[in-house]
Amino acid sequence: QVQLVESGGGSVQAGGSMTLSCAASGDIHGIYCMGWLRQSPGKEREGVAIIDSDGFTSYADSVKERFTIWQNGAKNALYLQMNSLKPEDTAIYYCAALLQSCITTDYVALDPDFRGQGTQVTVSS
């Protein structure tokens, strides 16, 4: 089992920045891919960004050039730097982990093996 705990959410004005963190514990050695997904009321769940065990990254078109995903060297922490935030970025953001490799952000959105409890991000105009 893998436990994921997100932190760093909150409220920010449009144009601002925020960094989310995710602490991973448990049997993390089996993880091949980690990422972030988000969900807001009335919208479908959306994969935001992924990073695989080789460092390959991919982003949803809606966040490209604004968000950056990375891990620490021990691969027990995941981060998401969010810049130029927009009101439409408002959502609950979840950290996710997969026991398989991933190619697109759809992998974390559809059926991750593990997911955290989420952290709220609110962007006001």
Side-chain angles (χ1 to χ4, degrees):
Q1 289 292 314
V2 172
Q3 294 77 44
L4 303 171
V5 179
E6 303 94 338
S7 60
S11 297
V12 66
Q13 288 194 324
S17 298
M18 185 179 290
T19 302
L20 303 183
S21 301
C22 172
S25 60
D27 190 13
I28 64 172
H29 299 294
I31 297 174
Y32 279 81
C33 174
M34 294 192 74
W36 294 92
L37 63 111
R38 66 186 181 186
Q39 187 153 29
S40 55
K43 293 185 179 181
E44 288 193 0
R45 192 165 47 192
E46 179 185 23
V48 174
I50 56 166
I51 182 167
D52 75 5
S53 56
D54 294 323
F56 167 80
T57 60
S58 183
Y59 299 89
D61 288 343
S62 58
V63 307
K64 277 181 182 175
E65 309 299 330
R66 300 190 298 123
F67 289 13
T68 303
I69 187 172
W70 77 97
Q71 286 181 296
N72 66 346
K75 297 190 178 178
N76 58 3
L78 181 73
Y79 304 94
L80 185 70
Q81 174 67 39
M82 305 184 292
N83 298 328
S84 303
L85 282 161
K86 305 175 181 180
E88 50 265 42
D89 293 319
T90 295
I92 299 175
Y93 284 70
Y94 300 90
C95 175
L98 288 84
L99 303 178
Q100 63 179 30
S101 59
C102 54
I103 301 174
T104 70
T105 54
D106 288 342
Y107 281 70
V108 292
L110 292 175
D111 189 22
D113 294 292
F114 305 99
R115 196 182 78 173
Q117 293 298 307
T119 185
Q120 176 71 46
V121 173
T122 302
V123 184
S124 58
S125 58

